Amino acid sequence: MPRLVMKFGGTSVADIDRIRNAASKVKREIDAGYDVAVIVSAMSGKTNELVGWVRDASTKPGTNERSFYDAREYDSVVASGEQVTAGLMALCLQELGVDARSWLGWQVPVRTTSAHGVARITEIDTANLDAKFEQGVHAVIAGFQGLSDEGRITTLGRGGSDTTAVAFAAALGAERCDIYTDVDGVYTTDPRITKKARKLDRIAYEEMLELASLGAKVLQVRSVELAMAHKVRLAVRSSFSDEPGTLVCDEDEIMEANVISGVAFSRDEAKITMRHLADQPGVAASVFGPLADAGVNVDMIIQDISAEGFTDITFSCPVDQVAVAVKALEDGKAAGTLTYDDLETDEDVSKVSIVGIGMRSHAGIASKMFAALSAENVNIKVITTSEIKVSVLIDRRYLELAVQSLHDAFGLEKAG
Amino acid sequence: MPRLVMKFGGTSVADIDRIRNAASKVKREIDAGYDVAVIVSAMSGKTNELVGWVRDASTKPGTNERSFYDAREYDSVVASGEQVTAGLMALCLQELGVDARSWLGWQVPVRTTSAHGVARITEIDTANLDAKFEQGVHAVIAGFQGLSDEGRITTLGRGGSDTTAVAFAAALGAERCDIYTDVDGVYTTDPRITKKARKLDRIAYEEMLELASLGAKVLQVRSVELAMAHKVRLAVRSSFSDEPGTLVCDEDEIMEANVISGVAFSRDEAKITMRHLADQPGVAASVFGPLADAGVNVDMIIQDISAEGFTDITFSCPVDQVAVAVKALEDGKAAGTLTYDDLETDEDVSKVSIVGIGMRSHAGIASKMFAALSAENVNIKVITTSEIKVSVLIDRRYLELAVQSLHDAFGLEKAG
């Protein structure tokens, strides 16, 4: 029988009524002839509660450089959230007459690396699940968790249940992986910014990756990467409606599309400019090495010539990392490893991006974007481009205006 | 190094501060030279929350005749409570500089029967723990849970963490098993009934068993049975003080003791009398078979002759089971499988018992008990005796009076 993976996020399993509602969606697919593997997150709020306890218990550095506690114990505590939902979902399915059982990461098993808290799935042995499917027993799988070679519980990092779902869809050869969430699909932009925002029927993996990493919090970036690598067709659907949602798929499956698929944005960015650096080989490394060590997520970077033998470097980062970034650079200057005159920070900027695989075959997209912004007197501070994306940094007060004007300029309210 | 098992119940690990407090007690024993295995319950209230969700999710009969839901899923959900505490305890120990790691039932492994919800431990393989002790790593073990031959999580039934603790103490050859709880030991009777109640320094396994099954809710009956079978020395201690508590041990270890160790009671009992049953072989079975099938916990039973060829049968049961008991008996009468004239119920009785291994070697204990009650005009309705116990059923309004007068009569306020 064809197989389907259905993943329900935290708000979709927040209480027994919602789990029951999700179970009814699973039953409908089973009735339609699918063998179903259901992947569940923790009930919403539970992961935060568990993480809070771990933090309360811990004040000293742990075994893992990414944490201030023993990440193996963190994983064992936090993975209990999905364990609870998996059992409850199995019970709710049984109530509907569906033969189902829960599987924890170690029971499948889902083999992962030993990088606790940020583990990666290395192998999913589906033999146990296959045998149960043969007997008509559907699977409910605790998302987000796996088993290390040392026999300890691992977790995949926040939002890791999406990754679990895609990995199972690939391992099981599922026809599709349905991600049920509290939004009903992927939109051309945030509907809170413009009512003209339109739900996309289909979007290419590459576009979804750009949108996911730009802050459209529908799908975890890793899960989209994994889906693209294994050609898993992903559907983003709402737990609270019966709408078909948005299919994330190979671009071959998308017959007609707009040149631009969406306008993404990241509100709370900052811009830092270093003036008059000695322009010599290794200068970029001397700047961005210390920033990386300090944990600053540098995004856009531009470098230009300011005067003979000197250069200016500008970069963007999340606004809440400015203090850390400035300290790292000032420490470098004090230690003599960095030489610059001035440091200018602008904490009132936002990033706006247009994304679309159509850009590859259409010229003039960037200039159309700049023209649209110029028409609204929005000043562009930094520009970066990729094959299917153009991003600009602008003053934050123009964010909504910029998004609306770009949405209009590229005609996103209408399907291509 | 000598080994110690320390078990902390739900109120002793109710929040991070309490877990931290418990961890400091563990550290003290480690500093004193012990290899310690810590057994933890779920944080108080958590198990009830989890059980509540399972019940909410389930309305249909399950796979297990004892439950109305799939007991395998129940176990997987409910066992998550101890999983959380185990990780948090390991973290709190690490904070104190103690090298410790958590172990779940399946990780040790703790092998059990497949009787989900009421599983029994069949084997504990301590090889993994032994190896870690060799490296100086102490163990934090999730109580209450194990692993079935089918690879599913099992639970031992409510209060099962005591059983886990004793089983580990036996398997590890521990010098002692300390049960930390919210009382500071075993008392001669409930201190809320008489201020003369005295904490016992030592009590024999057999006495503790009688007290436990009589409703002194300090230790789970099964854990005491297991301790007795494996000669595990059990100490009942308070998490909230540094008092030595009460040692439950072999009677050989108790040099001097009172003839009677304690006065136990069970407040909410009922008495049911069936009049004029045909006195023929099998009549008792015809009464108590249906009661057992109906799940009635019959306690005391007396049968006497009422008239030629007829008999009366009186039994006691918890007061909240009277309706079920009466229905079972009336159904039997209606179906013709039981013949009797009248059914009398008395829902206003309590059971009071004196317990002591000294009874074996001292005559006249029962008559001394009856005399003490008679002196207070307390009428005795039913009497049962065992080798180390005499129990009487009395009107509930005399309960406190009876306990106080027996405590006085046997001089329990003073150590023997």
Side-chain angles (χ1 to χ4, degrees):
Chain A
M1 286 210 277
R3 289 167 171 183
L4 190 67
V5 170
M6 302 174 73
K7 182 259 173 179
F8 293 92
T11 54
S12 305
V13 292
D15 55 37
I16 300 295
D17 280 342
R18 291 198 177 173
I19 297 174
R20 215 176 263 133
N21 171 61
S24 72
K25 288 183 182 289
V26 174
K27 182 172 194 305
R28 193 184 314 160
E29 301 290 1
I30 289 169
D31 290 346
Y34 286 104
D35 279 345
V36 176
V38 186
I39 317 293
V40 290
S41 297
M43 295 159 89
S44 64
K46 281 291 149 190
T47 301
N48 287 340
E49 180 182 60
L50 295 165
V51 170
W53 285 335
V54 168
R55 296 215 169 122
D56 284 352
S58 310
T59 61
K60 293 184 189 169
T63 58
N64 185 320
E65 63 183 13
R66 286 172 303 275
S67 73
F68 287 97
Y69 35 76
D70 183 341
R72 298 166 299 196
E73 301 301 346
Y74 170 96
D75 280 357
S76 189
V77 170
V78 174
S80 69
E82 283 72 17
Q83 176 168 334
V84 170
T85 324
L88 295 175
M89 175 64 84
L91 289 166
C92 286
L93 284 168
Q94 291 173 7
E95 284 284 299
L96 298 176
V98 171
D99 202 353
R101 69 154 280 190
S102 68
W103 298 89
L104 303 176
W106 59 270
Q107 289 175 321
V108 173
V110 177
R111 297 272 174 200
T112 73
T113 61
S114 299
H116 285 275
V118 291
R120 288 188 166 260
I121 296 173
T122 53
E123 190 193 353
I124 294 178
D125 184 347
T126 64
N128 290 323
L129 269 67
D130 292 341
K132 286 289 177 183
F133 278 138
E134 285 294 313
Q135 298 165 28
V137 182
H138 300 272
V140 181
I141 298 155
F144 176 63
Q145 61 182 248
L147 180 69
S148 74
D149 287 344
E150 294 78 26
R152 305 284 307 250
I153 295 174
T154 54
T155 67
L156 310 182
R158 295 304 285 264
S161 290
D162 285 352
T163 305
T164 303
V166 174
F168 270 94
L172 291 167
E175 190 175 293
R176 204 175 63 242
C177 178
D178 288 350
I179 307 285
Y180 283 86
T181 178
D182 49 3
V183 298
D184 60 357
V186 180
Y187 278 73
T188 51
T189 196
D190 187 336
R192 287 170 297 189
I193 302 281
T194 169
K195 286 186 178 167
K196 294 181 187 169
R198 178 176 53 85
K199 191 178 76 187
L200 295 160
D201 292 333
R202 299 193 171 205
I203 186 169
Y205 295 119
E206 292 87 345
E207 293 172 321
M208 190 66 226
L209 267 183
E210 293 290 357
L211 292 172
S213 58
L214 287 169
K217 288 161 188 159
V218 180
L219 286 173
Q220 204 206 12
V221 173
R222 263 172 72 198
S223 67
V224 181
E225 289 173 346
L226 198 62
M228 185 162 75
H230 293 277
K231 301 280 183 208
V232 171
R233 300 166 78 237
L234 266 180
V236 178
R237 309 182 62 172
S238 168
S239 295
F240 310 111
S241 81
D242 290 328
E243 296 298 311
T246 299
L247 185 70
V248 186
C249 58
D250 200 272
E251 58 185 287
D252 297 345
E253 282 200 68
I254 304 173
M255 298 303 286
E256 290 292 335
N258 287 324
V259 175
I260 298 303
S261 289
V263 181
F265 59 88
S266 176
R267 185 179 299 271
D268 296 318
E269 297 292 310
K271 180 171 77 75
I272 299 180
T273 300
M274 306 169 70
R275 296 279 179 212
H276 212 65
L277 286 97
D279 190 12
Q280 58 200 29
V283 64
S286 71
V287 170
F288 295 106
L291 289 171
D293 291 344
V296 177
N297 293 313
V298 172
D299 181 16
M300 306 165 92
I301 298 175
I302 50 174
Q303 178 175 356
D304 56 4
I305 305 298
S306 60
E308 188 69 36
F310 291 92
T311 185
D312 293 347
I313 287 184
T314 296
F315 63 91
S316 71
C317 69
V319 75
D320 58 8
Q321 296 183 349
V322 169
V324 174
V326 168
K327 182 172 187 308
L329 297 175
E330 288 179 346
D331 286 354
K333 187 174 184 182
T337 55
L338 259 181
T339 319
Y340 59 84
D341 283 357
D342 288 320
L343 207 55
E344 295 164 12
T345 62
D346 180 351
E347 304 195 12
D348 297 313
V349 294
S350 294
K351 182 168 69 163
V352 178
S353 309
I354 54 172
V355 172
I357 49 172
M359 264 188 233
R360 292 196 199 120
S361 50
H362 285 74
I365 299 300
S367 65
K368 185 171 177 181
M369 179 188 195
F370 305 151
L373 294 174
S374 170
E376 299 288 355
N377 286 316
V378 176
N379 188 38
I380 297 170
K381 306 192 156 205
V382 178
I383 301 170
T384 57
T385 61
S386 78
E387 199 184 12
I388 64 166
K389 181 187 70 172
V390 182
S391 298
V392 297
L393 216 55
I394 60 173
D395 277 335
R396 190 173 301 133
R397 65 182 183 278
Y398 295 127
L399 174 61
E400 286 79 5
L401 176 64
V403 170
Q404 289 160 3
S405 66
L406 292 172
H407 201 271
D408 286 346
F410 289 99
L412 298 187
E413 75 277 13
K414 289 197 218 78
Chain B
M1 285 210 278
R3 288 166 172 183
L4 190 66
V5 170
M6 302 174 73
K7 182 260 172 178
F8 294 91
T11 53
S12 306
V13 292
D15 55 37
I16 300 293
D17 280 342
R18 290 196 177 175
I19 296 174
R20 214 175 264 136
N21 171 61
S24 70
K25 289 183 181 290
V26 174
K27 180 171 194 312
R28 194 184 314 161
E29 301 290 2
I30 289 169
D31 290 345
Y34 286 104
D35 279 346
V36 176
V38 185
I39 317 291
V40 290
S41 297
M43 295 159 90
S44 65
K46 281 291 149 188
T47 301
N48 287 340
E49 180 183 60
L50 295 165
V51 170
W53 285 335
V54 168
R55 295 215 170 122
D56 285 351
S58 310
T59 61
K60 293 183 188 167
T63 57
N64 183 320
E65 64 183 11
R66 287 173 302 277
S67 74
F68 287 96
Y69 35 75
D70 183 340
R72 296 167 299 195
E73 301 301 344
Y74 169 96
D75 279 358
S76 189
V77 170
V78 174
S80 69
E82 284 72 16
Q83 177 169 333
V84 170
T85 325
L88 295 176
M89 175 65 83
L91 289 166
C92 286
L93 285 168
Q94 291 174 5
E95 283 285 299
L96 298 175
V98 170
D99 202 354
R101 69 154 279 190
S102 68
W103 297 88
L104 303 176
W106 60 270
Q107 289 176 320
V108 174
V110 178
R111 298 271 173 200
T112 73
T113 61
S114 299
H116 285 274
V118 291
R120 287 186 167 262
I121 296 172
T122 53
E123 189 193 353
I124 294 178
D125 184 347
T126 63
N128 290 324
L129 269 68
D130 292 341
K132 285 289 178 186
F133 279 136
E134 285 295 313
Q135 299 166 25
V137 182
H138 300 272
V140 181
I141 298 155
F144 175 64
Q145 61 184 247
L147 180 69
S148 74
D149 287 343
E150 294 79 26
R152 305 286 305 252
I153 294 174
T154 55
T155 68
L156 310 180
R158 295 304 285 265
S161 290
D162 285 352
T163 305
T164 302
V166 174
F168 270 93
L172 291 168
E175 191 175 293
R176 205 173 64 240
C177 178
D178 288 350
I179 307 285
Y180 284 85
T181 177
D182 49 2
V183 299
D184 61 356
V186 180
Y187 278 73
T188 51
T189 196
D190 187 336
R192 286 169 297 189
I193 302 281
T194 170
K195 287 186 178 168
K196 295 179 188 170
R198 178 176 54 84
K199 192 178 73 185
L200 295 160
D201 293 333
R202 300 192 171 206
I203 186 170
Y205 295 118
E206 294 86 344
E207 293 172 322
M208 190 66 227
L209 267 182
E210 293 289 359
L211 292 172
S213 58
L214 286 169
K217 288 159 188 162
V218 180
L219 286 173
Q220 203 205 14
V221 173
R222 264 171 70 196
S223 67
V224 182
E225 288 173 347
L226 198 62
M228 185 162 76
H230 293 276
K231 301 281 185 207
V232 170
R233 299 165 79 237
L234 265 181
V236 178
R237 307 182 65 170
S238 168
S239 295
F240 310 112
S241 81
D242 291 327
E243 296 298 311
T246 300
L247 185 71
V248 187
C249 58
D250 201 89
E251 58 185 285
D252 296 346
E253 282 201 68
I254 304 173
M255 297 303 286
E256 290 290 335
N258 288 324
V259 177
I260 297 303
S261 290
V263 181
F265 60 89
S266 176
R267 186 179 298 270
D268 296 318
E269 297 291 309
K271 180 171 76 77
I272 299 180
T273 300
M274 306 170 71
R275 297 280 180 209
H276 213 66
L277 287 96
D279 189 13
Q280 59 201 27
V283 65
S286 71
V287 170
F288 295 106
L291 289 171
D293 293 343
V296 176
N297 293 314
V298 172
D299 178 17
M300 307 166 90
I301 299 174
I302 52 174
Q303 178 176 359
D304 57 3
I305 304 298
S306 60
E308 187 68 35
F310 291 93
T311 185
D312 293 346
I313 287 183
T314 295
F315 64 89
S316 70
C317 69
V319 74
D320 58 8
Q321 297 183 346
V322 168
V324 174
V326 167
K327 182 171 187 309
L329 297 175
E330 287 179 347
D331 286 353
K333 188 176 183 179
T337 55
L338 261 180
T339 318
Y340 59 85
D341 282 359
D342 287 320
L343 208 55
E344 297 165 9
T345 62
D346 180 350
E347 305 195 10
D348 298 312
V349 294
S350 294
K351 182 168 70 163
V352 178
S353 308
I354 54 172
V355 173
I357 50 172
M359 265 188 230
R360 292 196 198 120
S361 50
H362 285 75
I365 300 301
S367 66
K368 185 172 177 182
M369 177 188 196
F370 305 151
L373 294 174
S374 171
E376 300 288 355
N377 286 316
V378 175
N379 188 36
I380 297 170
K381 304 193 157 201
V382 178
I383 301 170
T384 57
T385 61
S386 79
E387 200 185 10
I388 65 165
K389 180 188 71 174
V390 183
S391 298
V392 297
L393 218 56
I394 61 173
D395 279 334
R396 190 172 301 133
R397 66 181 183 277
Y398 296 126
L399 174 61
E400 286 79 4
L401 177 63
V403 170
Q404 288 159 3
S405 66
L406 292 172
H407 202 272
D408 287 347
F410 288 100
L412 297 189
E413 75 277 12
K414 292 197 217 76

